[in-house]
Amino acid sequence: MKKNLGDKIFKGIALFSSLFVILLVFFLFVELLIYSFPSIKKFGIYFFIDKIWDPVTERYGALPAIYGTIVTSILALLIAFPLSIGIAIFISELAPPALKRPLSFIIELLGAIPSLIYGMWGLFSLAPLVQLKIGPFLQRILGFLPFFQGYPLGVGYLTAGIVLSVMIIPTISSLSREILMAVPIDQREAGYALGMTKWEVIWKIVLGNARSGIFAAGILGLGRALGEAVAVTMVIGNFPNISVSLFSPGVTITSVIINEFAEAAGQLKISVLMELALVLFLITFLIMGLARYYILKRIEGR
Amino acid sequence: MDKIRVENLNAWFGSMQVLKNINVSLKEKKISAIIGPSGCGKTTLLRCFNRLHELVPGARVEGKIFLDNTNIYEKEVDPVMVRRRIGMVFQRPNLFNHMSIYDNVIAGYLLNNTKLSKERKDEIVERSLRLAGIWEEVKNRLRDYPSALSGGQQQRVCIARALAVEPEVLLMDEPTSALDPISTYRIEETIRELKEEVTIIIVTHNMQQAARVSDETIFMYMGEIIEVGSTSQIFTNPKQKLTEDYITGKFG
């Protein structure tokens, strides 16, 4: 009888804890929705297609911010993903055992550095480098592409993308490493016993086995990049703009919120920023949800 | 005809010697069983035949193994080439989880950019699955993933995968120890039929199995070969006291 009661209490606590998280997410969403209502009512769909951001006439378009967020995050993923896979393969498959631990440790430390520090590095070291070396170099060899037109200012999409990529490498690489290391030995031995070379075993067997997990790691990294605020604000240039050229300055959802929240006067302005937050919330939610769905489908398909 | 000849083979895990001065010959197109108590080194010996032992960190091998008069431990021999001639079936089915049954069977050909026509692939897959006695059961579900099969079926697809590349020797490491009696029976049947095609070396814990399927039996104890002989001789008239004690169940 007594034991039964304990079980019930424990079950209650566990149930409450998990419900609490779900409720928290739900109320967060509802709260954002309520606050953004004036903005939704005033701008409607134009909020998403208007490029103009003018506090004086109270005309607010979110397109530059949405565009900037997506461009910088995808750029970050494009840079960070292959590097992270390389790091993960090196640590799990190739590095001598004495090197594995210190390497993983250092990479995990990278993830523990506050984003402000990455922002400072981006602004003081990387931005001049982009302006004087990386930018001109890219222009020389890839200048025919629309992405590398114009004059590199130092701050802008490219710099923000690079800073973000460094910030998400620890996330993607340490997750991928764990996933690679979790591929059973017997899968590798099966490959070797069939006469595969080490590279064939790594590429076709280990990565093949781990692909949905690695995909998920990439998506988690992307999620982190989408939501990153401080570092991006420091290097994005903060100019409401939509440009294909990666050298251009721009804004992201997070940078707009950070820059304008403190001095947001009037209900409409606050509501606009709330709607931006809502958009970010939905974008991340959607991407994570799609990734989850895709992975689940994969696993069940087996 | 001897297919494999082992000369003065020693093997270690770190500082622990697991094989001591092994000398033995294995006949072509015969089934040889390696028996002995747990930890006697029988699996290690098997894994020396396709140079898999040395992949374990800290593991080391010394000595010679001749496959048709070529020493596979010669410096210039590429272990990858050895493994293409000597197939292996493991204790537990280890089909590639992320590949369909069809792709698993053909996996040995997906490597080193071997290009095969669709017809040729279909042919290889069917022939191998038939050889392994599993074609009828899986022919309509070749695009399924291995997890849709039972353990016994998976193990027979593993045999098909090993046979697909037409190895000269097939190593089997306790291939039925994780399976139920019916699957075991089917696989033993398969093994006996395969004798026409390849030289088979099977490690087994199960003495009845050795007696049922093999032509020759090797008895190992504490990293050494104690006795080698025809299976009927080993089981009816062992020369060594140790062999007799083991097969009569006094230890092991």
Side-chain angles (χ1 to χ4, degrees), chain B residues 50-64:
Chain B
N50 64 348
R51 297 192 58 175
L52 218 53
H53 175 69
E54 67 205 53
L55 288 178
V56 179
R60 193 158 59 83
V61 185
E62 268 173 23
K64 295 174 180 167

mmCIF file with all atom_site columns, all heavy atoms in Angstrom, chain B residues 50-64:
data_model
loop_
_atom_site.group_PDB
_atom_site.id
_atom_site.type_symbol
_atom_site.label_atom_id
_atom_site.label_alt_id
_atom_site.label_comp_id
_atom_site.label_asym_id
_atom_site.label_entity_id
_atom_site.label_seq_id
_atom_site.pdbx_PDB_ins_code
_atom_site.Cartn_x
_atom_site.Cartn_y
_atom_site.Cartn_z
_atom_site.occupancy
_atom_site.B_iso_or_equiv
_atom_site.pdbx_formal_charge
_atom_site.auth_seq_id
_atom_site.auth_comp_id
_atom_site.auth_asym_id
_atom_site.auth_atom_id
_atom_site.pdbx_PDB_model_num
ATOM 1   N N   . ASN B 1 50 ? 42.108 -13.902 -41.988 1.00 0.00 ? 50 ASN B N   1
ATOM 2   C CA  . ASN B 1 50 ? 41.801 -12.791 -42.908 1.00 0.00 ? 50 ASN B CA  1
ATOM 3   C C   . ASN B 1 50 ? 42.375 -11.469 -42.385 1.00 0.00 ? 50 ASN B C   1
ATOM 4   O O   . ASN B 1 50 ? 41.925 -10.396 -42.755 1.00 0.00 ? 50 ASN B O   1
ATOM 5   C CB  . ASN B 1 50 ? 40.292 -12.678 -43.171 1.00 0.00 ? 50 ASN B CB  1
ATOM 6   C CG  . ASN B 1 50 ? 39.494 -12.343 -41.933 1.00 0.00 ? 50 ASN B CG  1
ATOM 7   O OD1 . ASN B 1 50 ? 40.005 -12.406 -40.823 1.00 0.00 ? 50 ASN B OD1 1
ATOM 8   N ND2 . ASN B 1 50 ? 38.250 -11.952 -42.119 1.00 0.00 ? 50 ASN B ND2 1
ATOM 9   N N   . ARG B 1 51 ? 43.342 -11.590 -41.509 1.00 0.00 ? 51 ARG B N   1
ATOM 10  C CA  . ARG B 1 51 ? 44.071 -10.433 -40.978 1.00 0.00 ? 51 ARG B CA  1
ATOM 11  C C   . ARG B 1 51 ? 43.146 -9.422  -40.312 1.00 0.00 ? 51 ARG B C   1
ATOM 12  O O   . ARG B 1 51 ? 43.363 -8.214  -40.379 1.00 0.00 ? 51 ARG B O   1
ATOM 13  C CB  . ARG B 1 51 ? 44.920 -9.780  -42.076 1.00 0.00 ? 51 ARG B CB  1
ATOM 14  C CG  . ARG B 1 51 ? 45.986 -10.730 -42.581 1.00 0.00 ? 51 ARG B CG  1
ATOM 15  C CD  . ARG B 1 51 ? 47.037 -10.078 -43.443 1.00 0.00 ? 51 ARG B CD  1
ATOM 16  N NE  . ARG B 1 51 ? 47.735 -8.981  -42.770 1.00 0.00 ? 51 ARG B NE  1
ATOM 17  C CZ  . ARG B 1 51 ? 48.770 -8.329  -43.305 1.00 0.00 ? 51 ARG B CZ  1
ATOM 18  N NH1 . ARG B 1 51 ? 49.226 -8.682  -44.490 1.00 0.00 ? 51 ARG B NH1 1
ATOM 19  N NH2 . ARG B 1 51 ? 49.330 -7.338  -42.663 1.00 0.00 ? 51 ARG B NH2 1
ATOM 20  N N   . LEU B 1 52 ? 42.125 -9.928  -39.651 1.00 0.00 ? 52 LEU B N   1
ATOM 21  C CA  . LEU B 1 52 ? 41.217 -9.041  -38.925 1.00 0.00 ? 52 LEU B CA  1
ATOM 22  C C   . LEU B 1 52 ? 41.733 -8.807  -37.504 1.00 0.00 ? 52 LEU B C   1
ATOM 23  O O   . LEU B 1 52 ? 41.473 -7.770  -36.903 1.00 0.00 ? 52 LEU B O   1
ATOM 24  C CB  . LEU B 1 52 ? 39.818 -9.680  -38.876 1.00 0.00 ? 52 LEU B CB  1
ATOM 25  C CG  . LEU B 1 52 ? 38.629 -8.745  -39.025 1.00 0.00 ? 52 LEU B CG  1
ATOM 26  C CD1 . LEU B 1 52 ? 38.750 -7.880  -40.259 1.00 0.00 ? 52 LEU B CD1 1
ATOM 27  C CD2 . LEU B 1 52 ? 37.340 -9.559  -39.083 1.00 0.00 ? 52 LEU B CD2 1
ATOM 28  N N   . HIS B 1 53 ? 42.475 -9.785  -36.987 1.00 0.00 ? 53 HIS B N   1
ATOM 29  C CA  . HIS B 1 53 ? 42.982 -9.684  -35.614 1.00 0.00 ? 53 HIS B CA  1
ATOM 30  C C   . HIS B 1 53 ? 43.780 -8.404  -35.413 1.00 0.00 ? 53 HIS B C   1
ATOM 31  O O   . HIS B 1 53 ? 43.625 -7.700  -34.426 1.00 0.00 ? 53 HIS B O   1
ATOM 32  C CB  . HIS B 1 53 ? 43.846 -10.904 -35.297 1.00 0.00 ? 53 HIS B CB  1
ATOM 33  C CG  . HIS B 1 53 ? 44.507 -10.846 -33.949 1.00 0.00 ? 53 HIS B CG  1
ATOM 34  N ND1 . HIS B 1 53 ? 43.795 -10.938 -32.778 1.00 0.00 ? 53 HIS B ND1 1
ATOM 35  C CD2 . HIS B 1 53 ? 45.806 -10.673 -33.590 1.00 0.00 ? 53 HIS B CD2 1
ATOM 36  C CE1 . HIS B 1 53 ? 44.633 -10.844 -31.756 1.00 0.00 ? 53 HIS B CE1 1
ATOM 37  N NE2 . HIS B 1 53 ? 45.854 -10.676 -32.213 1.00 0.00 ? 53 HIS B NE2 1
ATOM 38  N N   . GLU B 1 54 ? 44.621 -8.079  -36.394 1.00 0.00 ? 54 GLU B N   1
ATOM 39  C CA  . GLU B 1 54 ? 45.528 -6.952  -36.226 1.00 0.00 ? 54 GLU B CA  1
ATOM 40  C C   . GLU B 1 54 ? 44.815 -5.599  -36.197 1.00 0.00 ? 54 GLU B C   1
ATOM 41  O O   . GLU B 1 54 ? 45.421 -4.580  -35.885 1.00 0.00 ? 54 GLU B O   1
ATOM 42  C CB  . GLU B 1 54 ? 46.566 -6.963  -37.355 1.00 0.00 ? 54 GLU B CB  1
ATOM 43  C CG  . GLU B 1 54 ? 45.942 -6.692  -38.726 1.00 0.00 ? 54 GLU B CG  1
ATOM 44  C CD  . GLU B 1 54 ? 46.762 -7.272  -39.862 1.00 0.00 ? 54 GLU B CD  1
ATOM 45  O OE1 . GLU B 1 54 ? 47.062 -8.484  -39.814 1.00 0.00 ? 54 GLU B OE1 1
ATOM 46  O OE2 . GLU B 1 54 ? 47.115 -6.522  -40.778 1.00 0.00 ? 54 GLU B OE2 1
ATOM 47  N N   . LEU B 1 55 ? 43.517 -5.572  -36.527 1.00 0.00 ? 55 LEU B N   1
ATOM 48  C CA  . LEU B 1 55 ? 42.782 -4.297  -36.497 1.00 0.00 ? 55 LEU B CA  1
ATOM 49  C C   . LEU B 1 55 ? 42.428 -3.872  -35.075 1.00 0.00 ? 55 LEU B C   1
ATOM 50  O O   . LEU B 1 55 ? 42.146 -2.712  -34.822 1.00 0.00 ? 55 LEU B O   1
ATOM 51  C CB  . LEU B 1 55 ? 41.488 -4.417  -37.305 1.00 0.00 ? 55 LEU B CB  1
ATOM 52  C CG  . LEU B 1 55 ? 41.642 -4.489  -38.809 1.00 0.00 ? 55 LEU B CG  1
ATOM 53  C CD1 . LEU B 1 55 ? 40.276 -4.652  -39.457 1.00 0.00 ? 55 LEU B CD1 1
ATOM 54  C CD2 . LEU B 1 55 ? 42.332 -3.252  -39.337 1.00 0.00 ? 55 LEU B CD2 1
ATOM 55  N N   . VAL B 1 56 ? 42.439 -4.823  -34.153 1.00 0.00 ? 56 VAL B N   1
ATOM 56  C CA  . VAL B 1 56 ? 42.117 -4.486  -32.765 1.00 0.00 ? 56 VAL B CA  1
ATOM 57  C C   . VAL B 1 56 ? 43.304 -3.736  -32.177 1.00 0.00 ? 56 VAL B C   1
ATOM 58  O O   . VAL B 1 56 ? 44.438 -4.174  -32.315 1.00 0.00 ? 56 VAL B O   1
ATOM 59  C CB  . VAL B 1 56 ? 41.838 -5.775  -31.955 1.00 0.00 ? 56 VAL B CB  1
ATOM 60  C CG1 . VAL B 1 56 ? 41.537 -5.448  -30.512 1.00 0.00 ? 56 VAL B CG1 1
ATOM 61  C CG2 . VAL B 1 56 ? 40.708 -6.554  -32.588 1.00 0.00 ? 56 VAL B CG2 1
ATOM 62  N N   . PRO B 1 57 ? 43.058 -2.577  -31.547 1.00 0.00 ? 57 PRO B N   1
ATOM 63  C CA  . PRO B 1 57 ? 44.176 -1.818  -30.986 1.00 0.00 ? 57 PRO B CA  1
ATOM 64  C C   . PRO B 1 57 ? 44.988 -2.669  -30.005 1.00 0.00 ? 57 PRO B C   1
ATOM 65  O O   . PRO B 1 57 ? 44.423 -3.341  -29.144 1.00 0.00 ? 57 PRO B O   1
ATOM 66  C CB  . PRO B 1 57 ? 43.485 -0.662  -30.248 1.00 0.00 ? 57 PRO B CB  1
ATOM 67  C CG  . PRO B 1 57 ? 42.158 -0.519  -30.896 1.00 0.00 ? 57 PRO B CG  1
ATOM 68  C CD  . PRO B 1 57 ? 41.769 -1.892  -31.360 1.00 0.00 ? 57 PRO B CD  1
ATOM 69  N N   . GLY B 1 58 ? 46.292 -2.685  -30.191 1.00 0.00 ? 58 GLY B N   1
ATOM 70  C CA  . GLY B 1 58 ? 47.166 -3.444  -29.293 1.00 0.00 ? 58 GLY B CA  1
ATOM 71  C C   . GLY B 1 58 ? 47.387 -4.886  -29.708 1.00 0.00 ? 58 GLY B C   1
ATOM 72  O O   . GLY B 1 58 ? 48.193 -5.587  -29.115 1.00 0.00 ? 58 GLY B O   1
ATOM 73  N N   . ALA B 1 59 ? 46.662 -5.334  -30.746 1.00 0.00 ? 59 ALA B N   1
ATOM 74  C CA  . ALA B 1 59 ? 46.806 -6.731  -31.160 1.00 0.00 ? 59 ALA B CA  1
ATOM 75  C C   . ALA B 1 59 ? 47.994 -6.885  -32.119 1.00 0.00 ? 59 ALA B C   1
ATOM 76  O O   . ALA B 1 59 ? 48.323 -5.963  -32.867 1.00 0.00 ? 59 ALA B O   1
ATOM 77  C CB  . ALA B 1 59 ? 45.528 -7.210  -31.836 1.00 0.00 ? 59 ALA B CB  1
ATOM 78  N N   . ARG B 1 60 ? 48.601 -8.062  -32.088 1.00 0.00 ? 60 ARG B N   1
ATOM 79  C CA  . ARG B 1 60 ? 49.824 -8.268  -32.861 1.00 0.00 ? 60 ARG B CA  1
ATOM 80  C C   . ARG B 1 60 ? 49.904 -9.730  -33.305 1.00 0.00 ? 60 ARG B C   1
ATOM 81  O O   . ARG B 1 60 ? 49.434 -10.621 -32.610 1.00 0.00 ? 60 ARG B O   1
ATOM 82  C CB  . ARG B 1 60 ? 51.005 -7.930  -31.937 1.00 0.00 ? 60 ARG B CB  1
ATOM 83  C CG  . ARG B 1 60 ? 52.349 -7.778  -32.558 1.00 0.00 ? 60 ARG B CG  1
ATOM 84  C CD  . ARG B 1 60 ? 53.233 -6.928  -31.628 1.00 0.00 ? 60 ARG B CD  1
ATOM 85  N NE  . ARG B 1 60 ? 53.385 -7.523  -30.309 1.00 0.00 ? 60 ARG B NE  1
ATOM 86  C CZ  . ARG B 1 60 ? 54.280 -8.469  -30.014 1.00 0.00 ? 60 ARG B CZ  1
ATOM 87  N NH1 . ARG B 1 60 ? 55.118 -8.907  -30.931 1.00 0.00 ? 60 ARG B NH1 1
ATOM 88  N NH2 . ARG B 1 60 ? 54.360 -8.970  -28.799 1.00 0.00 ? 60 ARG B NH2 1
ATOM 89  N N   . VAL B 1 61 ? 50.482 -9.951  -34.470 1.00 0.00 ? 61 VAL B N   1
ATOM 90  C CA  . VAL B 1 61 ? 50.609 -11.305 -35.007 1.00 0.00 ? 61 VAL B CA  1
ATOM 91  C C   . VAL B 1 61 ? 52.035 -11.513 -35.488 1.00 0.00 ? 61 VAL B C   1
ATOM 92  O O   . VAL B 1 61 ? 52.635 -10.611 -36.069 1.00 0.00 ? 61 VAL B O   1
ATOM 93  C CB  . VAL B 1 61 ? 49.658 -11.533 -36.217 1.00 0.00 ? 61 VAL B CB  1
ATOM 94  C CG1 . VAL B 1 61 ? 49.728 -12.976 -36.679 1.00 0.00 ? 61 VAL B CG1 1
ATOM 95  C CG2 . VAL B 1 61 ? 48.235 -11.149 -35.879 1.00 0.00 ? 61 VAL B CG2 1
ATOM 96  N N   . GLU B 1 62 ? 52.581 -12.705 -35.256 1.00 0.00 ? 62 GLU B N   1
ATOM 97  C CA  . GLU B 1 62 ? 53.866 -13.083 -35.844 1.00 0.00 ? 62 GLU B CA  1
ATOM 98  C C   . GLU B 1 62 ? 53.726 -14.474 -36.432 1.00 0.00 ? 62 GLU B C   1
ATOM 99  O O   . GLU B 1 62 ? 53.034 -15.315 -35.859 1.00 0.00 ? 62 GLU B O   1
ATOM 100 C CB  . GLU B 1 62 ? 54.961 -13.098 -34.773 1.00 0.00 ? 62 GLU B CB  1
ATOM 101 C CG  . GLU B 1 62 ? 55.701 -11.785 -34.639 1.00 0.00 ? 62 GLU B CG  1
ATOM 102 C CD  . GLU B 1 62 ? 56.646 -11.795 -33.446 1.00 0.00 ? 62 GLU B CD  1
ATOM 103 O OE1 . GLU B 1 62 ? 57.051 -12.891 -33.018 1.00 0.00 ? 62 GLU B OE1 1
ATOM 104 O OE2 . GLU B 1 62 ? 56.944 -10.701 -32.952 1.00 0.00 ? 62 GLU B OE2 1
ATOM 105 N N   . GLY B 1 63 ? 54.422 -14.714 -37.525 1.00 0.00 ? 63 GLY B N   1
ATOM 106 C CA  . GLY B 1 63 ? 54.377 -16.036 -38.125 1.00 0.00 ? 63 GLY B CA  1
ATOM 107 C C   . GLY B 1 63 ? 53.874 -15.961 -39.550 1.00 0.00 ? 63 GLY B C   1
ATOM 108 O O   . GLY B 1 63 ? 53.778 -14.871 -40.129 1.00 0.00 ? 63 GLY B O   1
ATOM 109 N N   . LYS B 1 64 ? 53.593 -17.126 -40.122 1.00 0.00 ? 64 LYS B N   1
ATOM 110 C CA  . LYS B 1 64 ? 53.202 -17.155 -41.525 1.00 0.00 ? 64 LYS B CA  1
ATOM 111 C C   . LYS B 1 64 ? 51.908 -17.913 -41.715 1.00 0.00 ? 64 LYS B C   1
ATOM 112 O O   . LYS B 1 64 ? 51.663 -18.926 -41.056 1.00 0.00 ? 64 LYS B O   1
ATOM 113 C CB  . LYS B 1 64 ? 54.293 -17.859 -42.356 1.00 0.00 ? 64 LYS B CB  1
ATOM 114 C CG  . LYS B 1 64 ? 55.610 -17.111 -42.386 1.00 0.00 ? 64 LYS B CG  1
ATOM 115 C CD  . LYS B 1 64 ? 56.656 -17.935 -43.093 1.00 0.00 ? 64 LYS B CD  1
ATOM 116 C CE  . LYS B 1 64 ? 57.989 -17.164 -43.107 1.00 0.00 ? 64 LYS B CE  1
ATOM 117 N NZ  . LYS B 1 64 ? 59.109 -18.042 -43.494 1.00 0.00 ? 64 LYS B NZ  1
#
